[in-house]
Amino acid sequence: MMPLRVWGLAFLCWMVMAGEGARVRVYKWEVKYEYKSPDCYKKLAITINGRTPGPTIVAQQGDTVVVELTNSLLTENVAIHWHGIRQIGTPWSDGTEGVTQCPILPGDTFVYRFVVDRPGSYLYHAHYGMQREAGLYGAIRVSLPDGEREPYHYDYDRTIILNDWYHKSAYEQATGLSSKPFVWVGEPQSLLIHGRGRFNCSTMDAATCNATNPECAPYTLTVVPGKTYRLRVSSLTALSALSFQIEGHNMTVVEADGHNVVPFVVKNLFLYSGETYSVLVTADQDPSRNYWATSSIVGRNATFTTPPALSVINYYPNHLRRAPPTRPPAGPVWNDVAPRLSQSLAIKAREGYIHAPPAASDRVIVLLNTQNRIDGYMKWAVNNVSFTLPHTPYLIALKHRLLGAFDQTPPPENFDPAHDIYSVAKNPNATTSNGLYRLEFNSTVDIILQNANSLTPNNSETHPWHLHGHDFWVLGYGEGKFDIEKDPKSYNLVNPIMKNTVPVHPYGWTALRFRADNPGAWAFHCHIEAHFYMGMGLVFEEGIDRVGKLPSSIMGCGKTRQFTSP
């Protein structure tokens, strides 16, 4: 007899598919550790059904996605975030441990269910500890309904995820970040293009690092001469900002984080962790040979530590493994900020796809990113507050009024105007907190992200910030300290792009605007794994009284144990 749980999923599938248009896409995943060699070096990786990257979720706008996830990690909890999916009406499926759910315990099965309400390119990844960098990630591809077309033409649709790869486990890295003295994770050992890279095995035995292992053969994309390809290129790096290029080919950017943009042409596509882009590439070069596609680190000096990743654009009918006859193209200069800022400024909403932002905001929150020492520990902080996750998820604590579950004092909404962003700050008053920002439902909120110097002299890092549960309008970027009187006058209110992840460039600022119109509790954080782990994040609460009854499956930790049966 069919188990009740499986029968229920099958019945749900039948019921939704019997309706008009929308369908249910059901995925059954087993998450477990397996030995993998994505860059030829053998290490434990977290896989989905034996794969990393995991399976691509393919759906149409309006479909319901159901993921039945079994945690077979044996000794670890897990949670998966559906990056870019707004979870309208299902905030408990956002997959953010400590914010929207208790983690999934070893041996348990948890069902995520949500609607993909917009077409575009999205991601999924672990959101428990630093598990994302262990290989638990994949892509979500949402197409338009039947009969509708994008405003650009292409013949084939392909997905490429870029990543960086460490040989130390996430636990080793987290231990170093939490220690006195502080131990930094360092630069990654390799870069991966859709799960494949190449580490130099010459100094290691074959059992540890085998350059002939087919798992680390270069990723190959076969193209037909004359055809145009939509490449959905995204980044899920733990640390690195990247440049992606295809030898001899231009790329036309047409989509960013699920929104159509005014097309613009690039040779190098800059990506920050959590971003997705669609680029159009036409196979219009000499068809008698193959070409290199490369990924390299920018923003950090990894020239002597992390080699570029190499993949092959295979012009059919050349052999898949036929190496290009040229040297791989060199990446851009790692510390040249100007072209990266130029790309950010070039991203505008395409005519006919512009969602006009509100003309003004109801509230302005200015957030200064700084590196701090708190009780001798190295931390990242926002307005001198280093974020910590509570044991009881915010969504449950707020809905059930468990006021003792987290700090009821809200974090600061601004920073000392005398703060010198170009100097190493002493920050003597830095503290830790799990307080949150309460937003009036349906209000319009401006967020100013201000970058500053780290604890290293003459160093300011790039931080990609990701907002759960929303898209935001990117109103502008600037260099230096934000001027609250002058800089808003230069905001783009005509055709700003909407995104869910955006970079803050070194010694610069980025201005965002969003509507607090999605009831729930939503994380907003730097998408660099180590930075969020060290406190660079916060949580927004909005319209919690409008959230429906919470499913018992998200409970079982902290103060939520009282809501579950023994």
Side-chain angles (χ1 to χ4, degrees), residues 145-370:
D146 293 337
E148 296 186 31
R149 295 187 59 180
E150 301 286 2
Y152 38 84
H153 169 77
Y154 54 91
D155 301 294
Y156 299 100
D157 196 335
R158 300 289 185 266
T159 297
I160 298 174
I161 304 178
L162 307 179
N163 216 337
D164 48 15
W165 192 247
Y166 287 87
H167 292 169
K168 285 186 176 181
S169 71
Y171 282 106
E172 291 176 281
Q173 294 193 28
T175 299
L177 297 174
S178 305
S179 296
K180 288 192 291 188
F182 175 76
V183 181
W184 175 234
V185 299
E187 301 302 322
Q189 279 65 62
S190 302
L191 298 179
L192 306 181
I193 297 180
H194 214 67
R196 294 170 179 261
R198 183 58 63 94
F199 182 71
N200 183 359
C201 295
S202 61
T203 60
M204 297 185 176
D205 63 90
T208 303
C209 193
N210 182 2
T212 64
N213 190 324
E215 287 186 359
C216 58
Y219 172 75
T220 300
L221 175 65
T222 298
V223 299
V224 177
K227 299 297 184 181
T228 296
Y229 291 77
R230 178 183 184 173
L231 303 184
R232 301 175 188 253
V233 187
S234 59
S235 169
L236 275 175
T237 53
L239 173 66
S240 312
L242 299 175
S243 167
F244 177 75
Q245 61 181 314
I246 300 175
E247 178 191 10
H249 295 70
N250 288 329
M251 294 179 284
T252 302
V253 180
V254 293
E255 179 220 349
D257 287 2
H259 293 275
N260 292 325
V261 308
V262 176
F264 63 98
V265 177
V266 297
K267 287 284 189 183
N268 291 284
L269 178 68
F270 297 106
L271 299 102
Y272 307 92
S273 181
E275 286 193 312
T276 65
Y277 290 96
S278 283
V279 298
L280 301 183
V281 180
T282 300
D284 56 3
Q285 298 301 299
D286 178 1
S288 67
R289 51 160 294 193
N290 292 337
Y291 296 83
W292 294 110
T294 68
S295 172
S296 56
I297 292 177
V298 294
R300 303 182 64 87
N301 189 3
T303 307
F304 303 106
T305 56
T306 312
L310 301 178
S311 60
V312 175
I313 305 299
N314 165 233
Y315 267 66
Y316 181 82
N318 295 309
H319 193 277
L320 286 168
R321 301 304 177 205
R322 182 180 179 186
T326 52
R327 293 176 61 87
V333 179
W334 72 270
N335 59 352
D336 188 357
V337 178
R340 291 188 275 140
L341 179 59
S342 294
Q343 177 181 298
S344 294
L345 292 169
I347 304 173
K348 311 293 183 186
R350 185 174 184 136
E351 186 176 358
Y353 297 87
I354 298 171
H355 302 276
S361 65
D362 302 303
R363 185 175 178 182
V364 179
I365 302 175
V366 185
L367 303 174
L368 174 70
N369 303 324
T370 58

Side-chain angles (χ1 to χ4, degrees), residues 2 10 13 39 54 95 129 133 138 168 193 203 246 252 339 410 451 490 496:
M2 183 182 294
C13 269
D39 68 344
E133 65 181 65
K168 285 186 176 181
I193 297 180
T203 60
I246 300 175
T252 302
N451 218 337
S490 65

Side-chain angles (χ1 to χ4, degrees), residues 317-522:
N318 295 309
H319 193 277
L320 286 168
R321 301 304 177 205
R322 182 180 179 186
T326 52
R327 293 176 61 87
V333 179
W334 72 270
N335 59 352
D336 188 357
V337 178
R340 291 188 275 140
L341 179 59
S342 294
Q343 177 181 298
S344 294
L345 292 169
I347 304 173
K348 311 293 183 186
R350 185 174 184 136
E351 186 176 358
Y353 297 87
I354 298 171
H355 302 276
S361 65
D362 302 303
R363 185 175 178 182
V364 179
I365 302 175
V366 185
L367 303 174
L368 174 70
N369 303 324
T370 58
Q371 207 171 28
N372 305 61
R373 289 194 184 276
I374 301 175
D375 297 328
Y377 293 96
M378 181 85 78
K379 298 288 185 180
W380 281 98
V382 179
N383 291 350
N384 247 14
V385 176
S386 186
F387 177 71
T388 59
L389 280 169
H391 295 297
T392 303
Y394 289 101
L395 181 64
I396 308 170
L398 290 161
K399 184 65 178 174
H400 289 278
R401 302 185 185 279
L402 304 175
L403 299 183
F406 61 89
D407 188 351
Q408 296 299 300
T409 304
E413 299 200 8
N414 211 323
F415 63 93
D416 182 356
H419 184 97
D420 181 4
I421 66 169
Y422 298 100
S423 299
V424 175
K426 295 180 180 179
N427 298 320
N429 299 319
T431 186
T432 60
S433 174
N434 55 25
L436 52 69
Y437 293 88
R438 295 178 182 268
L439 308 178
E440 183 179 347
F441 185 69
N442 259 336
S443 64
T444 299
V445 182
D446 279 3
I447 303 294
I448 313 301
L449 292 165
Q450 175 69 65
N451 218 337
N453 207 97
S454 69
L455 288 178
T456 302
N458 304 313
N459 175 66
S460 181
E461 302 186 17
T462 302
H463 300 288
W465 276 77
H466 170 57
L467 178 59
H468 293 225
H470 304 77
D471 288 341
F472 47 70
W473 290 276
V474 183
L475 301 184
Y477 300 86
E479 297 177 278
K481 187 185 287 189
F482 179 77
D483 186 324
I484 200 164
E485 299 296 331
K486 180 185 70 175
D487 289 324
K489 297 176 182 178
S490 65
Y491 284 171
N492 175 16
L493 301 177
V494 178
N495 61 345
I497 191 61
M498 298 191 80
K499 294 182 95 268
N500 60 66
T501 306
V502 70
V504 190
H505 296 287
Y507 298 116
W509 56 264
T510 302
L512 319 175
R513 178 170 293 174
F514 73 97
R515 291 289 300 275
D517 57 2
N518 191 6
W522 307 106

